[in-house]
Amino acid sequence: MADLTAKTPCAGLLPLSIGTLTLTEVDPGHMTAVAPLKGQTSALSEALKTAHGMALPAPNRATGKDGARTIWFGHAHSLLIGPAPDPSLAQYAALTDQSDAWAVVRLEGPGAADVLARLTPLDLRAPQFKRGHTARTDLMHMMASITRTGPQAFQIMVFRSMAHTLVHDLKTAIEAVTARAG
Amino acid sequence: MRIICPHCGARDRREFTYQGDAVALERPAPDAGGAAWDDYLHNRENPAGVTRDLWYHEQGCGAWLVVTRNTVTHAVLTTDLAATVREGLA
Amino acid sequence: MRLDGKGQIDRNSPVSFSFDGRRYQGFAGDTLASALLAHDVRLVARSFKYHRPRGVLTAGSEEPNALVTVGQGAAQDPNIRATTLELFDGLEARSQNRWPSLEWDLLALNDLGAPFLGAGFYYKTFMWPRAFWEKLYEPVIRRAAGLGALSGQHNADTYERAHAHCDLLVIGAGPAGLMAAKLAADSGADVILCDEDTRTGGRLNADTQEIDGLPGALWAEEITAELAAMENVRIMTRTTVTGAYDGGTYGALERLPHAVASRKGAPKETFWRIVAGQAVLAAGALERPVAFRNNDRPGIMMASAVRAYVNRWAVSPGRAVTLFGNTDSIHRTAADLIDAGVHVAALIDARPDATCDLDLRFYPGGQVCDSAGRKGLEAISIATPSGIDKIQTDCLAMSGGWNPSVHLTCHMNGRPVWNPEIAAFVPQPGMVPGLTAAGACNGQFSTHQCLTDGLTAATTALQALGRRAAALKSPRAEDTPYAITPLWSVPGKGRAWLDFQNDVTVKDVKQAATENFRSVEHMKRYTTQGMATDQGKSSNTAALAVLADATGRSIPGTGTTTFRPPYVPTAIAAMGAHAQGTGFAPQRFTTSHRASLDAGAPMIEAGLWYRPSVFPAPGETHWRQSCDREVGMVRNAVGVCDVSTLGKIDIQGPDAAKLLDFVYTNRFSSLKPGRCRYGLMLREDGHVMDDGTTARLGEHHYVMTTTTAAAAQVMRHLEFTHQALHPEWDVSLISVTEQWAQFAVAGPKSRDLLNGLLDKPLSNDNFPFMACGPASIKGTKARLFRISFSGEQAYEIAVPARFGDSLFRQLVARAETLDGGAYGMEALNVLRIEKGFLTHAELHGRTTAFDLGMARMISDAKDCIGKTAAQRPGLTDPDREQLVGLKPVGAIKQLTAGAHLFTAGDAPTRENAQGYVTSVAFSPTLGHFMGLAFVQRGPARLGEVITLVDHLRGITTRVEICDPVFFDQDGGRARG
Ligand SMILES: [Zn+2]
């Protein structure tokens, strides 16, 4: 019997390049939900700094950088993206493997915010939603996480099973924005 | 309509799921008697004015909220985390 | 006729178009209306009810008459206002509501029948006989009266929705809006400036007055260029703000120019939701007609519109123009016409004290009392103190004063107030929180007033936003006082039109009052005043003034009707963009989706998920053949089924067991790590919410399984229980539905199959029924559960989702070597019904643990959600409908879900109903149909033969009540 082979959520769907905009699948590495135990938030933040070089993010914020990032992911947990979680974290937090649970894509290029404005009610204006800001929000009826990773770049996550819809909706919006630009 | 989530800030109401009156936070003891349970489960005011109800930030942070709003003007007056409100009751 | 020299049209860019099949040429910058008027095409439409000839009345979105149909086939778009339709090369427009042609409309006979078609005619004329309404009257009326028609085909155009956010939304880019936007932008606010026109400037494009010494239109162009260069400003032309909603949210419809909309991927229209911290409404004002006999002939137009056609589009709507009204608007129009070299035949100012310094025939205190002309205006009659004067004219420019466009200020239930000085309704402050009116829509009519009022409104908005207003002075502009003597209708016989689009006359409104429809809302519905697509923008105020007069009340005492969004007609397709076809909801695909399609499985929807119904084998032509084979495969060999869609919730923390004991009826704190347990979950009102198995992976670590249907609901419920009832508990809830691809491997050969795959072999002893634990496949970590939804010896194996496709293919390939294979939803359903297992067909929200025969699962030793309510007498009444099985014993062997059950011999009526069927299937294992049902006192009636009646499908048969577990009642197969 052959080994099990891995498939990414957007396999066969991406990359995509239309006009000045590109949509690519991100290989996030490990993704771990980190939910602090009661009263352990600061201790967890310290442990995260020691082990992975970044603090636990405040609400609506991301810490770290490409390759090793923690993004605020809800009222009670954050998502460590990149490295495998250091075992020391388990002392202060419930850790749940989410490496396969989310489709992760990167939308980049002039007009990226205009594309998202067609899909989410989130306020994405640059002064309100700066690099390092993140939000849990609705994206065409899908629970989504949106993080600004650059002046014209966003990381977008939805449940893995919805990767097809995500790509379809983003593609439609990219085409519309590109057509307007002429 | 916009609801201010204490975690996420002002958001479109499409991100929220409506539940019902905030009385749901005040669960009676099992032996509180039929009248108390009827009030908890079924009897509801229908005010033309200020009301407190529960909303779930389902497409957002996943927090349960107590939203105080005016059913006549549609103004959203305050929002609190249900957990905080519940801790205040305990 | 086209005038020389003037205008904002590009004479170097000719544009070819057609109207009713005839080809014409216009210029870039024209609207269809201006281009038709340039060719002296005056008759453009027939009226709604009487098929009266109609021409262009206005130059804006309030146009009631000049509605046309654009496009062919599926792209046919009816009721497009010619006055705002930008001309483009190849445009094909057609007139509406005429037969056989616009010129010779036979239905104009309706005009002769006018006495019968007045207010309330529907209610009076077609009362009897009743049956005639649907069959005869309504179809005839619908054919005779109406506007444009839909194509009846699927709309092929692309529409779009989008969101925008700003500190300040400025609605309208006339002088007031431009000043407000400029001040806010200079003060650092994020500004969106919307205007429904193709360019900014508003009335400045139509009029000739100067600002700071520049022609108004040029001043607007310069300030617009300054705004456009600022990063914090977004100018949205061709965008009508259609409604004001809660929380500073505004709806806006953007129409893309044809050149853009025709590009691939581009939408035709975009419906915007704009969220604004503050808003300034600078929507301007609309000039209102005067009602007089035959005031609806083509050639009779609004004075401000005539000015717009002359100045902006270089078109004179007539060769001998007359003017009639009660404000200086007509004088200004006359001056512009004379300036453009057009002959002005007479100016009739209804104000007795009016003066005029223009060189023309002047009638102070005169009133136009009738008009003549067959398909367009040829002459008017003027009532003067000395008698009736008749004048030849092909265009009458009229003005009854101006109505501020207060609409948006009233969208949250506010009512405007009457300002007698300008004889118009104006907004009150604060009717829409955060919205300030400025300029003409605020009753400020001079250009100077508009400019300063724009600044004032922006200052108010900036203050509310917590920003300091920058220094900006109001430029110099005319400040002529507005002088009006109200004139709503000219007395006299005959029909004088108020609502041009719905053919409502002064007589109709008076008749409504006579028949005691005195409330303005009643009058509106009785006469249909203001109920057409223009929503009475030009006519409502005059109509209620007539009503006030007829009922002896004041205008403010009569009140206005309710202003509702949208401000202009908005295609449902625009508001519902992205929600057509599969765009309606996200599609969720399992990791085995591709492999299932490859195997030819038809997919069915389960909520948002897509799941295979059956996996047809070669030669199988009916789903039942495949289903029966797949059931047999599981009962006799091994089957593989993707069960990843079931909800999976990771529950961790010191208080995880407490939470589970509280949400489930039975105990989970006593479950040993490495074991699974079936759990039943109630709503607080005592009814069953969901069921599923929960596994204990560690001391403080559980993973809960929910049904596919209730996954989101259960997550919400668990979060509610934690956050809103027991925030003191230390427990964390994370959905892991998507993390794991999980497959059921079921059947007597399931262990054989897995043992060829797992790194560590299984035995019944080291992994007994209801065991769970980690496993690995070639080093890949997996989770293994010994649970069964088929009643067979079965496992569910979960791997990280990236391996789902690979594992599914391998499992199926291995199963096939063991005389098994993949099975779909149909077989899964048959297998579970054979075992009496439940789904949401049974857990439908009205059933209790008692009804399901599971009352004993509610632990006596602890509290749980729903326990108190579940013990109420009504929920444990032995007479309740309770779960049973059904077997056919009559001549008809088929059972149907949804059928009702009756005691043998009883009439099949609602009063006699004994219960209903929730699930049915043909069991290939047993060789007959079986059903699950709820029957009153069911468990006490085993063996009784009752009647099944399916009224919908016309089936009546006899069935025997039996135990709901049809197969392997002692459960030995699952444990083996
Ligand atoms: Zn939130």
Side-chain angles (χ1 to χ4, degrees), chain C residues 480-802:
Chain C
T480 324
Y482 183 69
I484 181 170
T485 306
L487 174 62
W488 308 106
S489 70
V490 174
K493 283 186 182 263
R495 284 176 295 164
W497 265 261
L498 291 164
D499 184 331
F500 289 72
Q501 199 172 107
N502 256 359
D503 268 340
V504 180
T505 64
V506 170
K507 217 161 111 184
D508 292 325
V509 173
K510 286 182 175 165
Q511 188 186 333
T514 310
E515 297 186 14
N516 218 20
F517 293 96
R518 294 161 57 91
S519 147
V520 65
E521 297 283 7
H522 288 159
M523 177 277 284
K524 166 178 171 167
R525 281 151 186 85
Y526 194 58
T527 61
T528 72
Q529 161 65 42
M531 286 168 68
T533 66
D534 70 336
Q535 292 282 291
K537 282 193 189 69
S538 318
S539 57
N540 278 346
T541 307
L544 69 92
V546 170
L547 180 68
D549 187 51
T551 56
R553 291 173 297 178
S554 67
I555 291 174
T558 306
T560 63
T561 52
T562 310
F563 294 86
R564 292 192 178 86
Y567 178 70
V568 293
T570 304
I572 298 290
M575 289 195 268
H578 306 166
Q580 285 172 299
T582 52
F584 187 69
Q587 295 175 302
R588 299 181 78 173
F589 295 151
T590 62
T591 57
S592 65
H593 190 77
R594 190 68 253 169
S596 298
L597 293 180
D598 290 349
M603 304 303 278
I604 51 170
E605 289 176 50
L608 301 178
W609 289 100
Y610 287 73
R611 305 185 75 182
S613 54
V614 291
F615 289 85
E620 287 172 354
T621 54
H622 191 278
W623 67 269
R624 263 283 305 280
Q625 294 172 296
S626 313
C627 175
D628 289 358
R629 175 183 49 78
E630 290 170 15
V631 170
M633 211 167 68
V634 174
R635 294 273 175 245
N636 302 313
V638 60
V640 175
C641 179
D642 193 331
V643 292
S644 309
T645 61
L646 276 76
K648 297 179 279 290
I649 301 168
D650 200 58
I651 303 171
Q652 291 194 55
D655 293 320
K658 255 189 219 170
L659 177 76
L660 288 166
D661 278 351
F662 191 53
V663 296
Y664 274 134
T665 60
N666 46 334
R667 264 197 195 285
F668 280 79
S669 51
S670 59
L671 184 68
K672 292 191 170 52
R675 299 287 298 169
C676 309
R677 183 170 286 169
Y678 174 79
L680 193 66
M681 201 179 279
L682 306 183
R683 296 195 309 244
E684 193 69 276
D685 68 5
H687 294 85
V688 175
M689 174 187 283
D690 200 40
D691 69 348
T693 54
T694 286
R696 190 167 198 170
L697 303 180
E699 178 61 19
H700 293 157
H701 193 183
Y702 293 82
V703 61
M704 173 190 282
T705 308
T706 75
T707 58
T708 301
Q713 186 194 359
V714 170
M715 188 66 182
R716 195 182 307 152
H717 176 64
L718 295 185
E719 286 285 7
F720 177 82
T721 306
H722 179 213
Q723 296 179 41
L725 297 179
H726 288 287
E728 75 280 9
W729 288 348
D730 195 358
V731 59
S732 149
L733 303 158
I734 303 283
S735 169
V736 290
T737 308
E738 300 267 354
Q739 167 65 20
W740 300 93
Q742 192 155 320
F743 305 102
V745 180
K749 295 182 185 171
S750 56
R751 189 155 55 227
D752 296 347
L753 189 160
L754 285 173
N755 275 343
L757 202 62
L758 295 172
D759 295 342
K760 232 175 76 189
L762 297 169
S763 70
N764 205 30
D765 293 335
N766 73 7
F767 209 77
F769 186 54
M770 296 307 258
C772 71
S776 71
I777 301 169
K778 299 255 176 183
T780 296
K781 62 174 181 176
R783 282 177 179 173
L784 193 62
F785 307 86
R786 176 85 187 267
I787 51 180
S788 177
F789 197 51
S790 58
E792 293 303 319
Q793 183 197 125
Y795 301 82
E796 287 187 11
I797 182 152
V799 288
R802 70 186 66 188

Side-chain angles (χ1 to χ4, degrees), chain C residues 12 21 56 87 94 121 144 152 165 189 253 347 422 440 496 562 637 648 662 687 745 818 867 877 904 946 963 976:
Chain C
N12 296 320
V56 172
L87 214 59
R94 280 165 290 146
F121 84 101
H165 303 259
L253 181 72
L347 191 153
I422 59 169
T562 310
K648 297 179 279 290
F662 191 53
H687 294 85
V745 180
L818 298 166
K867 181 175 173 179
D877 185 342
I946 58 174
D963 192 279

Side-chain angles (χ1 to χ4, degrees), chain B residues 14 27 62 64 74 83 86, chain C residues 246 273 684 720 723-724 863:
Chain B
R14 285 165 188 78
R27 189 175 188 266
W64 275 96
H74 296 187
R86 175 66 216 173
Chain C
D246 296 322
R273 289 191 178 85
E684 193 69 276
F720 177 82
Q723 296 179 41
D863 186 21

Side-chain angles (χ1 to χ4, degrees), chain B residues 1-2 12 14 17 19 24-25 27 30 37-38 40-42 54 56 58 62-64 73-74 82-83 86-87, chain C residues 163 165 246-247 249 273 275 412 662 684-685 712 715-716 719-720 723-725 727 863-866 868-869 872:
Chain B
M1 179 172 167
R2 315 240 332 141
D12 193 284
R14 285 165 188 78
T17 306
Q19 172 73 17
L25 297 181
R27 189 175 188 266
W37 275 93
D38 283 347
Y40 179 66
L41 287 171
H42 302 299
L54 285 160
Y56 180 46
E58 188 155 32
W64 275 96
T73 64
H74 296 187
R86 175 66 216 173
E87 276 159 2
Chain C
H163 301 266
H165 303 259
D246 296 322
T249 304
R273 289 191 178 85
V275 178
M412 289 172 75
F662 191 53
E684 193 69 276
D685 68 5
M715 188 66 182
R716 195 182 307 152
E719 286 285 7
F720 177 82
Q723 296 179 41
L725 297 179
D863 186 21
C864 74
I865 288 189
T868 305
R872 284 179 298 176

Side-chain angles (χ1 to χ4, degrees), chain A residues 43-128:
Chain A
L44 173 65
S45 189
E46 284 308 315
L48 198 61
K49 268 190 235 170
T50 310
H52 300 294
M54 60 196 143
L56 200 63
N60 310 305
R61 295 292 180 271
T63 54
K65 53 183 187 301
D66 279 350
R69 184 176 268 135
T70 305
I71 62 176
W72 181 82
F73 217 60
H75 73 103
H77 72 286
S78 292
L79 193 72
L80 171 63
I81 305 177
D86 191 84
S88 68
L89 303 181
Q91 208 178 326
Y92 312 108
L95 304 178
T96 308
D97 189 1
Q98 296 275 277
S99 306
D100 293 54
W102 296 85
V104 187
V105 301
R106 180 184 170 89
L107 173 69
E108 189 164 17
D114 294 330
V115 170
L116 285 174
R118 270 128 186 99
L119 308 174
T120 172
L122 190 68
D123 185 355
L124 293 158
R125 284 177 291 165
Q128 274 71 22

Side-chain angles (χ1 to χ4, degrees), chain A residues 72 75 136, chain B residues 5-9 11 15-16 57 60-63 65:
Chain A
W72 181 82
H75 73 103
R136 290 300 306 268
Chain B
C5 171
H7 290 305
C8 308
R11 294 296 186 89
E15 294 187 3
F16 300 84
H57 198 186
C61 68
L65 310 177

